Amino acid sequence: MAWKCWLKIALLCFVSLVSVVLGTTDSGDYAVLDEFRRGLSNPELLRWPTNSKDPCGPPQWPHIFCSGSRVTQIQVQDLGLSGPLPHDFNKLAMLSNIGLQRNKFTGNLPSFNGLSNLQYAYLGGNQFDTIPTDFFVGLSSLQVLTLENNPLNQSTGWTLPPDLAHSAQLMNLSLSHCNLVGPLPEFLGSMKSLTVLKLSYNNLIGGIPVSYSGLPLQILWLNNQEGPGLTGSIEIITNMTLLNDVWLHENQFSGLIPDSISALSLLTRLWLNNNRLVGPVPESLINMSQLQSLRLDDNMLVGTVPKLSISNFTYAGNSFCQNTPGVPCSAEVTALLDFLKDVNYPTRLSDSWFGNDPCTSSWLGISCSNNNVSVINLPNYQLNGTISESLGALDSLVYVLLGGNNLAGPIPDNMSSLKSLKMLNLSFNNISPPVPRFPTSVKVLLDGNKLLQNPPSPGSPPGVGLPGVSPPSTDSPTPPNQPSSSGNGTKSSRKLNILVIVVPTVVGASVVFVAILLLFFCWKSKTNVFVAPNSTTTQPSKATNQDNPHKLVAKNVVNSSTSTSGFQSIASSGTGSTHAIDSGNLTIPVQVLRSATGNFALDNVLGRGGFGVVYKGELHDGTMIAVKRMESSVLSNKALDEFHSEIAVLSKVRHRNLVSILGYSAEDNERLLVYAYMQQGALSKHLFQWKQLELEPLSWKKRLNIALDVARGLEYLHNLAHQSFIHRDLKSSNILLGDDYRAKISDFGLVKLAPDGKQSVVTRLAGTFGYLAPEYAVTGKITTKVDVFSFGVVLMELLTGMMALDEERPEESHYLASWFCHMKTDKEKLRSIIDPSIAITDETFEGVPVIADLAAHCAAREPHQRPEMGHAVNVLASLVEKWMPINDDQEEYLGIDFHQPLLQMVKGWQAADGTTDVCSASLNDSKGSIPARPAGFAESFKSSDGR
Ligand SMILES: *[C@@H]1O[C@H](CO)[C@@H](O)[C@H](O)[C@H]1NC(C)=O
Ligand SMILES: *[C@@H]1O[C@H](CO)[C@@H](O)[C@H](O)[C@H]1NC(C)=O
Ligand SMILES: *[C@@H]1O[C@H](CO)[C@@H](O)[C@H](O)[C@H]1NC(C)=O
Ligand SMILES: *[C@@H]1O[C@H](CO)[C@@H](O)[C@H](O)[C@H]1NC(C)=O
Ligand SMILES: *[C@@H]1O[C@H](CO)[C@@H](O)[C@H](O)[C@H]1NC(C)=O
């Protein structure tokens, strides 16, 4: 037997001899690995022997696995390697599994073209900056490909080449955060093995392709598309019956949450927040017992918040009628929501019809009388669908004005028995017979409905236009102006190409009432030419204006691109107007405002703003308004600019956290702006003067909500679809509180349109000391980050109850911003400056440090260190909905939590424990107790013309 043993030993010796001298590894594979190692700046981390040319060994090199002489795996994840990959990487022809994730690889990603054995490719979390077009060719065995978190083709973006369609076994495709652009690739719908698709944080647009129906997806992440985001319905996901985890948040998805969502019996997490979804939350969701986490916040959902037995259910920022799950809406609201349903939930209405009281929350198109809905005024709203029977239950209705829409179907029978109805205008729709018999007291306008050749409406001759409306008595609700049916036919011809000012209807109706009264007067005295809405009259006639500058023209306008309003009056500006107002008109005669404010009585002064005094007023119908009156002594060009700027801006923006303008006057030396009245007044009052004014101090909850409201308003201002506005004068006295303590930002006189791109513009210094960002004070350069700074200061005020600038305080604390940053580095010090009127509870205990960090982050010295407002919204929203425990359930999928930058950042802050936060780091060159202010900061205060 011994010879056999000897033979074995000899063989072994030979084999090892061969391997030492020649190596068993394929020389091409070795060459690639060698080039790989040489390219790295830190190859020592690999611990590859420098004297061996035989990666396959024995001994095998660390991180390398072979089959025979060929390299099959490279596993170097999380080693911190930095450098490029060799360009001929695809010569490793037998490679089946490669793990390069979470290193610092840079440069071009080499082509993987032809790696037909490759099954698993983990390349995420690196710094690869280009991907070649032929990367995906011939990857016929590919099952997993992750490229997420690489700055691939950043400047141009890239689209997924269809070559990938040939990887028929692909199960997991993770391309989040890697600059994909364009629509979702249609061809992915043909990949019948795909179970994980993660495309978050790209720049994808368009809808989810129909071809995706029936994909065996378990995880679908399409959230947080930068740019315009994904659009269209989410209905198709209900056909992906294996779905377990769905992230569609932070996009522009619209339409309903489909009832059939309950077909997804494996779904455990559904995040739909921050989209444009409308309609109610489907009942069927309630029965999805396997669902563990549901996020619906910041959509336009209406109706009742469902009572779900899920702990992780968020729904703030919608149009629900109640905040409490399970509490039903009032009968009136239910009826109006049924109406909304039958016109397919148009977004403008879904957005504005929130809360449980149509009469106080300025619902678009709704006016009230004695706290009951009396007017539905939605002419030319491009409404489609049918008229709901539910209107027949609203006995308080007096005027139903739906002319110039696209409504089909018959008029519900029960509408003919509405007790108070005086007018039903359905002209220029597509109403079909039969028409119910209305009492003669009701004016029914039905012309322009081609299915009703002979409108059998008693007592209402067709073609009755506005002059036929009899002026209402003072105690009956005021009829808004009508879409005139004497005009010429088509809806488009009635569209006027001017900007439209938002008219919340309660007051809007009164404003128009005034216009109508005047019109009526003019009509009677035969000095006026009534101009029918017609495409030829896009502006009040010049000749007429010269003849008589007070002549009024009332008409309906709708502007499809900017429109948020159904009606308004257009009047020539007053005689004394030196600055033309281009942005559409909503003038109110000074006389009306004079009587509303008791001739600007001192008793009615609400406050003093930048260029004038704000008065409380009450219109004849009881509507409360706030009137800002410019002092005639300051009618400088600058002040006039602010006046016009405010009208121009407010006519373009509309958001529930920005005050809305109701109208203005510009006659002779009067310049007046009219806003909805905010019952609780300025935030500053509640923070700094609550004792004198005998108010309740603001609770922590209210403060958080206010902060979130303000953040949302600013975010909106900064991120309008095509433009970005900078407020420039955010401060607590410009933040107004409604009866419910919801906040709105006001005072838009200094708002600037941000230039395209993100560069800054140099402007005249304006704003308020204490809130001014340092770079702005010094250089006059503004970006949206100027507002972020001011917001940081407001947060500090909310936390401390101290004013942004107070010369009465000891010198080091004159400026809250710099002092706060200094104090917050130390927990004890931070505690000592928290507003003593905030009760310390578990909630505040957890929230205070987060808000303090956010405040400091926002008020960081360098603009680039400050976050975008969206970040602040996220931080605040998560607090408002109770503090979410940081237990990364994301980690179950990937190990790295890149989808939750918020949580990561918060974690980072908590770890740093105040020692390295942005705001103190930027100021820590001052060793003493007073952080240095930037050079020139103080001087710029003195030399400027601020207020
Ligand atoms: C990425 O950019 C490079 C260089 O600009 C270009 O050659 C390549 O085709 C781009 N990749 C894709 C997939 O479009
Ligand atoms: C969803 O599946 C149903 C039944 O399989 C099918 O009728 C429907 O067309 C699918 N929907 C889409 C959008 O493909
Ligand atoms: C839901 O929240 C609880 C704590 O409130 C947490 O433990 C759990 O992991 C969360 N579940 C999901 C699916 O997010
Ligand atoms: C009907 O109106 C809804 C809501 O505005 C809109 O989404 C939908 O596209 C419209 N449908 C048609 C056929 O115009
Ligand atoms: C209606 O249109 C016709 C031409 O199409 C025009 O001559 C006429 O003046 C218009 N009528 C009104 C009231 O605008």
Side-chain angles (χ1 to χ4, degrees):
M1 286 298 171
W3 64 272
K4 266 195 177 168
C5 190
W6 280 114
L7 189 65
K8 262 190 187 166
I9 291 170
L11 249 171
L12 265 177
C13 285
F14 176 75
V15 168
S16 55
L17 192 74
V18 168
S19 63
V20 168
V21 177
L22 303 170
T24 56
T25 306
D26 178 272
S27 60
D29 285 4
Y30 166 72
V32 175
L33 292 183
D34 192 43
E35 196 188 337
F36 171 59
R37 159 165 66 182
R38 286 163 193 275
L40 297 177
S41 66
N42 48 8
E44 66 282 359
L45 298 176
L46 286 169
R47 294 177 291 112
W48 284 354
T50 43
N51 58 355
S52 155
K53 296 192 168 187
D54 189 15
C56 293
Q60 219 163 37
W61 288 6
H63 313 296
I64 299 295
F65 300 85
C66 298
S67 166
S69 66
R70 300 303 304 265
V71 173
T72 56
Q73 294 195 39
I74 304 175
Q75 299 294 346
V76 296
Q77 52 268 40
D78 297 302
L79 288 182
L81 297 172
S82 96
L85 295 189
H87 69 281
D88 53 358
F89 197 80
N90 58 352
K91 286 195 178 149
L92 297 171
M94 300 306 288
L95 203 60
S96 68
N97 188 337
I98 175 166
L100 304 181
Q101 66 270 42
R102 298 183 300 267
N103 281 287
K104 294 171 193 151
F105 292 118
T106 53
N108 304 343
L109 197 58
S111 176
F112 278 27
N113 185 346
L115 289 176
S116 59
N117 290 296
L118 188 62
Q119 296 175 21
Y120 305 97
Y122 294 92
L123 306 170
N126 284 295
Q127 293 295 318
F128 293 118
D129 55 18
T130 58
I131 179 163
T133 320
D134 66 348
F135 182 90
F136 300 91
V137 176
L139 303 178
S140 49
S141 305
L142 195 63
Q143 293 181 26
V144 174
L145 175 63
T146 75
L147 273 170
E148 75 273 336
N149 282 358
N150 277 294
L152 298 171
N153 289 23
Q154 197 153 29
S155 55
T156 55
W158 61 290
T159 55
L160 202 56
D163 304 307
L164 185 61
H166 299 117
S167 306
Q169 303 168 48
L170 190 67
M171 290 164 52
N172 177 343
L173 181 62
S174 296
L175 299 176
S176 295
H177 241 300
C178 56
N179 305 318
L180 286 170
V181 296
L184 286 164
E186 190 90 30
F187 71 82
L188 289 181
S190 67
M191 312 207 62
K192 296 304 180 206
S193 304
L194 201 58
T195 56
V196 176
L197 180 61
K198 297 180 182 171
L199 301 174
S200 317
Y201 292 93
N202 282 297
N203 220 326
L204 298 167
I205 54 173
I208 305 178
V210 179
S211 65
Y212 288 19
S213 166
L215 276 180
L217 287 175
Q218 294 167 18
I219 298 178
L220 176 63
W221 289 0
L222 301 175
N223 52 294
N224 291 80
Q225 296 305 321
E226 282 136 30
L230 294 168
T231 52
S233 157
I234 62 167
E235 179 147 17
I236 186 131
I237 66 165
T238 65
N239 269 17
M240 306 175 189
T241 50
L242 300 177
L243 278 176
N244 172 270
D245 187 19
V246 176
W247 282 3
L248 301 179
H249 49 287
E250 308 259 357
N251 276 297
Q252 300 279 329
F253 287 114
S254 56
L256 303 169
I257 302 177
D259 236 346
S260 51
I261 193 98
S262 57
L264 302 179
S265 59
L266 304 174
L267 194 63
T268 58
R269 185 160 58 172
L270 177 62
W271 288 9
L272 299 174
N273 48 298
N274 297 80
N275 278 295
R276 303 177 59 76
L277 299 172
V278 295
V281 181
E283 282 287 313
S284 59
L285 263 176
I286 297 175
N287 303 322
M288 297 183 67
S289 52
Q290 81 291 353
L291 196 62
Q292 288 164 25
S293 178
L294 175 64
R295 294 197 170 181
L296 300 176
D297 349 18
D298 294 300
N299 281 289
M300 287 174 273
L301 301 171
V302 297
T304 308
V305 181
K307 202 164 186 164
L308 301 184
S309 50
I310 306 173
S311 55
N312 311 8
F313 172 37
T314 62
Y315 54 83
N318 278 292
S319 300
F320 292 123
C321 59
Q322 306 276 9
N323 286 325
T324 319
V327 181
C329 308
S330 72
E332 202 170 42
V333 168
T334 305
L336 288 170
L337 293 181
D338 284 345
F339 167 78
L340 207 57
K341 175 181 173 204
D342 285 2
V343 296
N344 299 317
Y345 297 107
T347 51
R348 274 187 292 167
L349 300 186
S350 299
D351 197 22
S352 112
W353 288 16
F354 63 90
N356 204 24
D357 186 354
C359 297
T360 59
S361 42
S362 61
W363 287 28
L364 213 56
I366 300 295
S367 307
C368 293
S369 165
N370 300 329
N371 253 337
N372 288 313
V373 174
S374 56
V375 180
I376 296 182
N377 180 46
L378 298 166
N380 302 322
Y381 259 65
Q382 295 166 328
L383 299 180
N384 58 34
T386 58
I387 303 166
S388 171
E389 265 189 19
S390 67
L391 293 192
L394 287 173
D395 258 334
S396 54
L397 279 175
V398 184
Y399 295 93
V400 176
L401 309 173
L402 297 168
N405 285 297
N406 204 11
L407 297 168
I411 302 170
D413 240 347
N414 59 0
M415 286 192 78
S416 62
S417 43
L418 282 172
K419 291 196 195 82
S420 331
L421 192 66
K422 289 192 179 151
M423 178 178 289
L424 173 64
N425 187 343
L426 290 168
S427 49
F428 297 99
N429 278 288
N430 202 12
I431 301 294
S432 54
V435 175
R437 270 199 90 75
F438 283 86
T440 47
S441 57
V442 183
K443 247 187 219 351
V444 181
L445 303 183
L446 289 172
D447 46 326
N449 285 286
K450 56 182 181 297
L451 300 178
L452 306 175
Q453 269 91 357
N454 303 308
S457 43
S460 54
V464 172
L466 214 151
V469 179
S470 45
S473 65
T474 36
D475 49 10
S476 80
T478 57
N481 61 339
Q482 303 286 303
S484 167
S485 45
S486 63
N488 257 350
T490 68
K491 268 165 275 160
S492 61
S493 74
R494 289 205 211 108
K495 289 176 189 166
L496 298 186
N497 195 14
I498 59 172
L499 286 165
V500 174
I501 291 174
V502 181
V503 190
T505 333
V506 179
V507 175
S510 334
V511 169
V512 173
F513 168 48
V514 171
I516 288 173
L517 270 188
L518 281 170
L519 188 96
F520 187 70
F521 173 75
C522 295
W523 178 62
K524 279 192 109 170
S525 61
K526 297 189 170 77
T527 57
N528 166 269
V529 181
F530 180 73
V531 183
N534 195 311
S535 55
T536 56
T537 54
T538 52
Q539 295 291 327
S541 142
K542 276 214 176 89
T544 323
N545 288 344
Q546 277 155 12
D547 294 351
N548 180 352
H550 290 293
K551 215 159 277 173
L552 284 166
V553 179
K555 63 180 69 176
N556 292 284
V557 283
V558 102
N559 178 311
S560 54
S561 60
T562 58
S563 174
T564 49
S565 130
F567 67 91
Q568 62 185 204
S569 71
I570 297 176
S572 56
S573 4
T575 41
S577 174
T578 49
H579 285 56
I581 291 174
D582 313 316
S583 54
N585 269 326
L586 187 68
T587 58
I588 302 176
V590 169
Q591 194 45 49
V592 171
L593 299 179
R594 222 176 240 136
S595 64
T597 57
N599 202 13
F600 303 112
L602 269 182
D603 283 352
N604 284 331
V605 172
L606 291 171
R608 276 160 216 280
F611 69 81
V613 182
V614 182
Y615 297 87
K616 180 161 83 172
E618 186 174 351
L619 295 177
H620 75 281
D621 68 347
T623 308
M624 300 300 295
I625 55 174
V627 181
K628 185 152 90 174
R629 183 193 201 194
M630 274 168 82
E631 284 166 70
S632 53
S633 59
V634 297
L635 282 187
S636 61
N637 279 339
K638 177 185 157 203
L640 288 174
D641 282 349
E642 287 190 16
F643 178 77
H644 295 295
S645 159
E646 178 139 15
I647 296 169
V649 171
L650 284 175
S651 66
K652 289 194 192 107
V653 302
R654 200 186 81 82
H655 189 269
R656 69 179 67 158
N657 301 122
L658 305 178
V659 295
S660 43
I661 191 170
L662 304 178
Y664 67 89
S665 291
E667 288 175 25
D668 303 321
N669 276 338
E670 288 287 7
R671 292 295 179 279
L672 303 161
L673 286 169
V674 184
Y675 312 90
Y677 177 64
M678 299 286 284
Q679 293 85 344
Q680 294 296 342
L683 170 62
S684 51
K685 211 170 75 175
H686 294 263
L687 284 178
F688 315 128
Q689 292 166 286
W690 58 274
K691 276 186 193 146
Q692 295 94 301
L693 299 173
E694 299 182 349
L695 302 168
E696 282 274 298
L698 289 175
S699 69
W700 177 245
K701 264 219 173 78
K702 283 187 182 135
R703 289 176 204 233
L704 278 186
N705 271 312
I706 291 166
L708 179 57
D709 283 345
V710 174
R712 287 204 165 114
L714 268 191
E715 184 195 27
Y716 171 82
L717 210 54
H718 290 176
N719 299 307
L720 286 176
H722 301 293
Q723 296 170 310
S724 174
F725 288 103
I726 304 170
H727 187 284
R728 292 207 293 169
D729 199 13
L730 184 75
K731 52 182 170 180
S732 46
S733 57
N734 279 345
I735 295 167
L736 303 180
L737 305 180
D739 229 0
D740 49 1
Y741 289 91
R742 297 307 296 260
K744 293 184 199 277
I745 301 173
S746 76
D747 212 331
F748 293 79
L750 294 178
V751 168
K752 266 258 180 295
L753 196 55
D756 286 344
K758 295 274 164 169
Q759 332 95 321
S760 52
V761 280
V762 178
T763 66
R764 182 171 50 80
L765 192 64
T768 304
F769 309 128
Y771 300 87
L772 277 188
E775 80 281 3
Y776 179 43
V778 173
T779 64
K781 282 188 185 158
I782 53 162
T783 61
T784 50
K785 296 296 178 69
V786 167
D787 287 345
V788 179
F789 184 95
S790 308
F791 177 71
V793 177
V794 170
L795 282 181
M796 293 170 189
E797 292 183 324
L798 282 167
L799 269 179
T800 62
M802 292 157 119
M803 288 190 283
L805 171 60
D806 186 353
E807 312 253 323
E808 314 265 279
R809 291 196 294 251
E811 184 171 354
E812 72 270 19
S813 57
H814 274 182
Y815 287 95
L816 181 59
S818 49
W819 187 63
F820 181 91
C821 284
H822 169 65
M823 295 300 278
K824 82 165 273 293
T825 56
D826 179 313
K827 272 189 182 156
E828 282 309 308
K829 285 185 184 165
L830 175 61
R831 190 160 303 163
S832 73
I833 61 169
I834 298 305
D835 191 339
S837 71
I838 299 177
I840 298 295
T841 63
D842 285 355
E843 209 179 355
T844 49
F845 189 75
E846 283 182 63
V848 164
V850 180
I851 299 292
D853 279 331
L854 180 62
H857 191 192
C858 289
R861 175 164 151 187
E862 299 297 331
H864 68 84
Q865 292 171 319
R866 297 172 209 150
E868 301 286 341
M869 283 315 296
H871 173 79
V873 170
N874 287 342
V875 173
L876 289 162
S878 60
L879 276 185
V880 164
E881 285 149 10
K882 274 214 182 115
W883 186 237
M884 246 180 29
I886 304 161
N887 64 342
D888 291 359
D889 38 326
Q890 288 73 44
E891 290 193 352
E892 73 202 60
Y893 296 116
L894 244 195
I896 183 167
D897 184 15
F898 58 88
H899 291 277
Q900 288 275 297
L902 157 67
L903 290 185
Q904 265 192 347
M905 186 149 298
V906 170
K907 260 186 181 169
W909 291 337
Q910 291 177 338
D913 202 11
T915 48
T916 58
D917 70 82
V918 203
C919 138
S920 65
S922 63
L923 295 165
N924 67 0
D925 34 11
S926 76
K927 298 277 188 298
S929 60
I930 312 163
R933 266 176 236 131
F937 196 47
E939 282 74 356
S940 68
F941 288 144
K942 290 184 194 120
S943 60
S944 66
D945 64 343
R947 24 191 232 242

